[in-house]
Amino acid sequence: MTLSLVACNNEDNTNEIFDSGVWKVVNFFGANEWSSLNDGGRPVFTTEADLKVVQQLSVTFHDDGSLQGSFVGGTFVGKWSANGKDRTISVTNISTTDDPSGISLMFLDVLREVAYYKGDSNYLKLAPNERNSYIQFTHRTD
């Protein structure tokens, strides 16, 4: 009988996660415990009107390190890079077609500040360096 050992790979496949289609924002969350699987986050936006705006926010990460997305009233482009070993991410050089405001402006400001990610090809969470909040995404289905 042959015994084989398989090494545990703790590195994420960043292309599988990020370059896997259009990511739609679910909500912004205040995080209680980023290190847990559930995170215990509290949704920031709860009214129907705010959620309607949130659900129009999206981003697509491309394998060449570019990204594009949409917000209410405009679109944006930028650059991204991620490290699958320590699950860090940076988003830079964001430029927009129009001047965002309200929740759309908040979305772009948060994207500029992201430092960590969690996720797979089904869900994605992006958090700032402090990891005291995050944006949760799901794949666009429409």
Side-chain angles (χ1 to χ4, degrees), residues 15-109:
N15 281 345
E16 177 185 328
I17 296 170
F18 292 98
D19 187 29
S20 57
V22 179
W23 289 100
K24 177 176 100 170
V25 174
V26 173
N27 208 329
F28 296 67
F29 291 85
N32 290 335
E33 183 68 40
W34 174 260
S35 62
S36 76
L37 291 175
N38 186 352
D39 298 331
R42 294 171 314 281
V44 172
F45 298 106
T46 57
T47 69
E48 187 175 329
D50 286 346
L51 290 172
K52 187 174 182 177
V53 172
V54 167
Q55 292 169 356
Q56 294 180 58
L57 307 172
S58 68
V59 64
T60 302
F61 300 91
H62 300 287
D63 64 359
D64 66 358
S66 66
L67 62 81
Q68 67 185 55
S70 62
F71 58 89
V72 176
T75 61
F76 64 94
V77 295
K79 300 285 183 191
W80 72 278
S81 65
N83 181 325
K85 288 185 180 179
D86 60 9
R87 293 174 178 84
T88 57
I89 182 172
S90 67
V91 174
T92 59
N93 300 328
I94 292 179
S95 61
T96 63
T97 57
D98 295 294
D99 291 329
S101 62
I103 294 172
S104 295
L105 179 59
M106 181 182 175
F107 173 55
L108 294 172
D109 287 344

Side-chain angles (χ1 to χ4, degrees), residues 2 4 8 15 27 78 117 119:
T2 304
S4 63
C8 180
N15 281 345
N27 208 329
Y117 76 88

